[in-house]
């Protein structure tokens, strides 16, 4: 609504007046005086917004040059002056009320803002500001609702964060308790999680920032494997491959298990790589195969003789009594060989697996050695081998299982007799080292000797020195049993020194009794 | 004239029992205790058949057969392989080494003699 009071002759709504009217809308006071030039006449205007009426007061007092006349004031001027005073009074009153209401409204809003009052409303102080008050109250309600929702959401997120943190700790604990090497990489091929075994395997420090997988895994073929898995695998992809990797301990074989980690969508967010070191398992499996193969060979050989000779006797191939007797002796000998072989295998197996209960008592080694020498003497005599004894006094005792030590000494003496040519010498000696609190038994022969290249494998099961194979029969288990008896069952040490063509010295060291 | 058979085995009892069985059947038998000795006897005596153990010192039974197969004078000698380890050779490998048969230990001397008779009859 516009109160129009244009006193000028040229009163109309030209462009300049329109801009004047527009300017009041943005005037901070809501009212103004203005001198505007309209059609070459200067016209005085008073403009004011009428808030309560929702309109505007617009008064044009006419051109200044028309207001002055010789006969005093122009009639228009008088009417205009009254209108002007009325308009000014209305405008001023409206402004005063408006400012008061506005200030009250502002104070209420400031109070709500400063005291964070919830559920507060702004009271309408006048009908003029009622729409504004309603709008402010609506805004307050909407804001309060949004804040309430945000607080709930933050609480939910805090709970989710705690759950996620706990889950991550669980995952870390699980990963660190795995004995295999575990690497978790993200979709940028950075390692985000790894365990101690992985750190040891790849030689990096845990806790470092997300390092690219290339910097941790130096084997390019493995990094390619992980990258391929991420790029070509689907979210539930699983792959197991055998992978060889060089390390400080030589070439090692790993079973690598790769699993894709699903991201939030349908894609792959990373890869979990688990490396299981198969090297030792493969070695054990190979040793087991070799052992079964060797046992099979060693059992079949005497069995073949027994079966063949028995069949010859049945078929009457042994015509005279002497040949028959010879066949019986072969069968008996081979049956004994088979029996010894089985005993040795079982003894080794029992000691290795810890099944044998050692009956350790204070024992005088010279006495046990003498018993073994007595048993071996007939065989030595047959080859004219001299047996020399250099024993320590019997009061030096060691805590040992008599039967086992007897078996070990007998095996060493038996070997010495087998591989010493006729006319040779075998010396058995015990030496006490009181400083080390040990007693060492030496069995020296003047036999064929063992090549240096054979020494490292000498105590392995079924290992036989090929060079001396033709000199005597053997199962290749005797020395292995000696090692098991001395080192596994008695925590002692077995040693060997040899020179081809000169002789061999086997020795074992045991701790003296307290 | 009796056929000549070379037996190679480092187990003296096996060597003895096979040689006795074959001699009683009328064959001429020569014995070797390792692969190297067997090779020397085979090249010098040119036997009609070789019976060899697989696992022997110096030269294994398989190496012995390989070497004999590559010698012009001995390449025709058929071989029977004895094994206590249950080794299995592919037919192609057996053919390339001149091995006609693999026999596992323990074996029957009676069956071995029958096999030898058949082989030598076919060769004749």
């Amino acid at each position: 609504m516009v109160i129009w009071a244009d006193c000028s002759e040229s009163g109309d709504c030209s462009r300049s007046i329109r801009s004047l009217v527009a300017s009041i809308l943005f005037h901070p006071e809501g009212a103004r005086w203005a001198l505007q030039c309209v059609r070459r006449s200067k016209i005085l205007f008073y403009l004011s917004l009428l808030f309560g009426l929702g309109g505007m007061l617009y008064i044009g007092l006419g051109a200044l040059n028309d207001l002055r006349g010789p006969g005093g004031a122009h009639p228009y001027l008088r009417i205009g002056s009254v209108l002007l005073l009325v308009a000014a009074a209305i405008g001023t009153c409206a402004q005063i009320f408006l400012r008061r209401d506005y200030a009250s409204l502002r104070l209420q809003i400031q109070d709500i803002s400063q005291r964070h009052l919830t559920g507060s409303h702004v009271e309408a102080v006048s009908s003029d500001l009622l729409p504004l008050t309603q709008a402010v109250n609506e805004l307050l309600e909407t804001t309060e609702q949004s804040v309430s929702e945000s607080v709930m959401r933050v609480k939910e997120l805090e709970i989710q964060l705690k759950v996620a943190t706990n889950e991550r700790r669980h995952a870390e604990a699980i990963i660190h308790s795995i004995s295999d090497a575990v690497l978790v990489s993200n979709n940028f091929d950075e390692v985000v999680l790894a365990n101690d075994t992985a750190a040891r395997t790849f030689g990096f420090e845990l806790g470092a920032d997300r390092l690219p997988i290339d910097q941790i895994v130096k084997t390019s073929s493995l990094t390619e494997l992980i990258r391929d898995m991420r790029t070509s695998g689907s979210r539930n992809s699983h792959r197991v491959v055998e992978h060889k990797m060089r390390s400080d301990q030589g070439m090692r074989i790993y079973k690598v298990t790769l699993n894709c980690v699903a991201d939030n969508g349908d894609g792959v967010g990373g890869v979990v790589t688990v490396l299981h070191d198969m090297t030792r398992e493969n070695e054990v499996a190979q040793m087991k195969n070799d052992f079964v193969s060797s046992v099979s060979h060693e059992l079949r050989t005497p069995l073949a003789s027994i079966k063949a000779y028995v069949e010859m006797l049945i078929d009457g191939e042994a015509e005279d009594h002497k040949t028959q007797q010879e066949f019986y002796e072969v069968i008996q000998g081979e049956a004994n060989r088979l029996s010894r072989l089985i005993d040795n295998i079982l003894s080794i197996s029992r000691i290795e697996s810890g099944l044998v209960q050692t009956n350790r008592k204070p024992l005088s080694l010279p006495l046990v050695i003498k018993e073994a020498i007595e048993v071996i003497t007939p065989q030595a005599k047959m080859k004219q081998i001299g047996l020399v004894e250099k024993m320590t006094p019997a009061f030096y005792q060691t805590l040992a299982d008599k039967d086992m030590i007897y078996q070990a000494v007998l095996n060493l003496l038996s070997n010495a007799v087998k591989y010493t040519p006729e006319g040779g010498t075998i010396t058995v000696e015990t030496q006490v080292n009181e400083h080390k609190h040990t007693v060492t038994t030496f069995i020296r022969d003047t036999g064929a000797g063992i090549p240096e290249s054979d020494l490292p494998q000498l105590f392995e099961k079924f290992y036989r020195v090929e060079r001396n194979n033709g000199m005597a029969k053997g199962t290749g288990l005797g020395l292995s049993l000696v090692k098991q008896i001395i080192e596994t069952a008695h925590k002692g040490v077995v040693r060997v020194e040899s020179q081809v063509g000169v002789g061999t010295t086997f020795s074992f060291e045991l701790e003296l009794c307290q | 004239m009796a056929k000549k058979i070379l037996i190679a085995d480092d187990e003296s009892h096996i060597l003895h029992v096979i040689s006795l069985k074959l001699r009683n059947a009328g064959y001429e038998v020569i014995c070797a205790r390792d692969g190297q000795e067997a090779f020397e006897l085979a090249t010098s005596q040119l036997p009609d058949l070789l019976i060899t153990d697989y696992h022997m010192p110096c030269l294994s039974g398989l190496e012995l057969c390989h070497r004999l197969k590559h010698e012009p004078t001995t390449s025709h000698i058929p071989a029977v392989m004895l094994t206590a380890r249950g080794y299995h050779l592919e037919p192609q490998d057996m053919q390339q080494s001149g091995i006609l048969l693999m026999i596992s230990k323990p074996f029957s001397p009676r069956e071995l003699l029958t096999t030898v008779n058949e082989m030598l009859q076919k060769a004749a």
Side-chain angles (χ1 to χ4, degrees):
Chain A
M1 179 183 174
V2 174
I3 295 175
W4 185 269
D6 194 345
C7 303
S8 68
E9 288 178 342
S10 55
D12 61 5
C13 195
S14 67
R15 180 188 289 178
S16 58
I17 292 173
R18 279 201 301 275
S19 67
L20 196 65
V21 170
S23 73
I24 195 66
L25 294 172
F26 303 102
H27 197 275
E29 300 290 330
R32 65 173 292 204
W33 290 93
L35 191 64
Q36 186 74 26
C37 195
V38 179
R39 290 180 189 167
R40 295 180 187 169
S41 300
K42 288 185 178 171
I43 298 171
L44 186 64
F45 290 94
Y46 177 76
L47 300 104
S48 175
L49 288 169
L50 299 174
F51 289 98
L53 301 171
M56 183 172 47
L57 179 70
Y58 164 78
I59 301 168
L61 294 176
L64 285 179
N65 43 351
D66 294 340
L67 298 180
R68 295 186 301 272
H74 195 281
Y76 285 165
L77 185 59
R78 284 197 291 274
I79 296 164
S81 298
V82 172
L83 284 171
L84 188 63
L85 286 170
V86 170
I90 293 168
T92 307
C93 285
Q95 271 187 319
I96 289 166
F97 287 122
L98 184 67
R99 283 184 182 175
R100 188 198 62 194
D101 295 348
Y102 182 77
S104 167
L105 186 63
R106 196 181 65 216
L107 283 172
Q108 285 187 64
I109 293 171
Q110 279 178 343
D111 189 40
I112 291 168
S113 169
Q114 284 169 2
R115 292 163 64 186
H116 303 290
L117 296 172
T118 55
S120 302
H121 284 83
V122 177
E123 297 294 331
V125 287
S126 72
S127 58
D128 288 346
L129 292 183
L130 193 59
L132 182 61
T133 311
Q134 283 173 345
V136 169
N137 282 335
E138 280 174 18
L139 180 66
L140 277 172
E141 278 177 23
T142 312
T143 309
E144 199 176 313
Q145 201 176 345
S146 297
V147 168
S148 173
E149 283 173 5
S150 299
V151 168
M152 289 294 288
R153 183 73 189 136
V154 166
K155 282 181 180 169
E156 276 177 26
L157 288 173
E158 280 175 351
I159 292 167
Q160 284 178 10
L161 182 66
K162 279 183 184 169
V163 170
T165 308
N166 277 343
E167 282 178 357
R168 185 182 167 88
R169 282 183 189 146
H170 285 157
E172 282 179 349
I174 291 166
I175 284 172
H176 282 285
S177 63
I178 294 172
S179 57
D180 293 340
V182 181
L183 289 171
V184 183
S185 53
N186 61 13
N187 54 355
F188 300 107
D189 292 324
E190 295 166 333
V191 173
V192 290
L193 196 56
N195 65 358
D196 297 328
T197 315
R200 279 197 304 275
T201 305
F202 296 106
F204 68 95
E205 281 189 20
L206 288 176
D209 287 338
R210 299 177 170 200
L211 290 172
I213 197 112
D214 316 61
Q215 281 187 28
I216 286 176
V217 180
K218 302 290 191 303
T219 317
S220 60
S221 51
L222 184 57
T223 55
E224 284 301 313
L225 210 60
I226 295 168
R227 210 166 270 141
D228 283 355
M229 188 67 188
R230 181 180 59 75
T231 52
S232 59
S234 61
R235 52 188 295 163
N236 294 319
S237 287
H238 173 83
R239 205 172 155 197
V240 180
V241 290
E242 198 174 282
H243 190 79
K244 285 183 184 173
M245 228 161 47
R246 192 168 289 284
S247 75
D248 298 340
Q249 301 149 343
M251 189 63 81
R252 302 199 75 78
I253 302 164
Y254 291 91
K255 185 175 94 175
V256 182
T257 306
L258 299 132
N259 276 296
C260 282
V261 182
D263 64 2
N264 293 330
D266 294 330
V268 176
V271 177
V272 178
T273 309
V274 181
L275 293 101
H276 179 67
D277 193 342
M278 300 278 291
T279 318
R280 182 65 190 147
E281 284 173 33
N282 284 3
E283 282 171 4
V284 170
Q286 187 57 47
M287 279 165 66
K288 203 172 163 186
N289 284 342
D290 292 348
F291 179 76
V292 170
S293 176
S294 299
V295 167
S296 161
H297 177 262
E298 295 302 324
L299 292 177
R300 278 166 188 254
T301 304
L303 199 62
S305 295
I306 292 168
K307 189 181 173 184
Y309 279 89
V310 168
E311 192 187 288
M312 292 287 275
L313 284 167
I314 292 169
D315 288 355
E317 300 277 0
E319 292 167 354
D320 54 88
H321 179 71
K322 193 187 163 197
T323 313
Q324 283 174 8
Q325 191 63 32
E326 191 186 317
F327 280 21
Y328 289 134
E329 281 172 12
V330 170
I331 291 165
Q332 189 185 35
E334 291 300 279
N336 289 340
R337 179 180 168 188
L338 205 56
S339 177
R340 275 202 311 277
L341 185 68
I342 292 166
D343 285 347
N344 280 345
I345 291 170
L346 287 177
S347 297
I348 290 171
S349 172
R350 281 181 187 148
I351 295 172
E352 274 183 341
S353 62
L355 286 174
V356 163
Q357 292 288 320
T358 50
N359 185 20
R360 294 177 74 176
K361 288 178 182 171
L363 182 74
S364 175
L365 271 179
L367 299 181
V368 181
I369 293 167
K370 278 181 193 295
E371 279 183 37
I373 289 173
E374 277 175 27
V375 171
I376 212 75
T377 301
Q379 292 174 41
K381 274 187 179 167
M382 279 172 70
K383 292 177 78 176
Q384 289 98 43
I385 294 171
L387 284 164
V388 179
E389 296 175 32
K390 293 180 181 173
M391 302 292 184
T392 49
F395 59 80
Y396 286 108
Q397 291 190 317
T398 179
L399 203 63
D401 184 306
K402 187 188 169 191
D403 292 340
M404 283 189 177
I405 297 295
Y406 170 80
Q407 183 66 55
V409 174
L410 192 65
N411 281 7
L412 291 174
L413 283 172
S414 171
N415 275 356
V417 173
K418 276 183 197 171
Y419 297 102
T420 300
E422 290 188 3
T425 307
I426 296 170
T427 308
V428 186
E429 184 180 354
T430 54
Q431 284 180 7
V432 168
N433 185 330
E434 290 194 352
H435 180 66
K436 275 177 74 184
H437 207 64
T438 55
V439 56
T440 306
T441 305
F442 297 89
I443 294 165
R444 295 192 184 91
D445 66 47
T446 54
I450 301 161
E452 204 178 333
S453 58
D454 287 292
L455 292 177
Q457 300 97 48
L458 199 64
F459 293 98
E460 286 179 10
K461 286 191 275 290
F462 300 109
Y463 188 80
R464 297 199 67 201
V465 179
E466 195 172 304
R467 189 174 183 277
N468 303 339
N469 219 356
M471 292 181 73
K473 289 278 170 205
T475 59
L477 288 172
L479 286 177
S480 178
L481 184 57
V482 169
K483 192 173 177 70
Q484 291 294 337
I485 288 171
I486 301 298
E487 297 193 347
T488 309
H490 289 85
K491 310 295 175 206
V493 186
V494 180
R495 298 187 184 93
V496 59
E497 288 171 20
S498 188
Q499 202 174 340
V500 174
V502 176
T504 304
T505 301
F506 283 95
S507 64
F508 63 88
E509 184 182 288
L510 294 171
E511 204 169 325
L512 283 171
C513 278
Q514 290 294 331
Chain B
M1 193 180 154
K3 297 278 186 185
K4 196 188 288 179
I5 299 172
L6 170 63
I7 309 166
D9 201 318
D10 58 332
E11 283 288 327
S12 59
H13 297 314
I14 298 291
L15 206 57
H16 180 237
V17 80
I18 297 173
S19 61
L20 188 66
K21 185 79 182 175
L22 296 179
R23 274 197 192 106
N24 286 351
Y27 291 106
E28 184 187 343
V29 178
I30 44 174
C31 297
R33 293 180 64 94
D34 61 58
Q36 186 58 41
E37 188 186 355
F39 179 75
E40 285 161 13
L41 282 172
T43 47
S44 60
Q45 305 261 330
L46 298 176
D48 298 291
L49 180 72
L50 167 70
I51 299 172
T52 178
D53 186 26
Y54 185 98
H55 193 76
M56 284 189 298
C58 302
L59 203 65
S60 77
L62 191 62
E63 288 167 333
L64 168 68
C65 292
H66 266 297
R67 284 178 63 173
L68 291 176
K69 190 71 184 171
H70 287 92
E71 285 289 322
T73 52
T74 57
S75 62
H76 66 284
I77 301 174
V80 175
M81 178 82 77
L82 301 173
T83 171
R85 286 186 186 254
Y87 286 120
H88 176 74
L89 288 178
E90 293 298 322
Q92 195 184 344
D93 295 329
M94 287 172 68
Q95 198 179 356
Q96 282 174 359
S97 311
I99 301 165
L100 297 185
L101 191 66
M102 297 277 289
I103 295 175
S104 290
K105 287 181 181 176
F107 62 96
S108 158
R110 200 186 302 142
E111 288 171 14
L112 178 66
L113 177 64
T114 310
T115 306
V116 168
N117 288 337
E118 286 171 3
M119 279 183 177
L120 290 174
Q121 275 172 12
K122 276 184 190 172

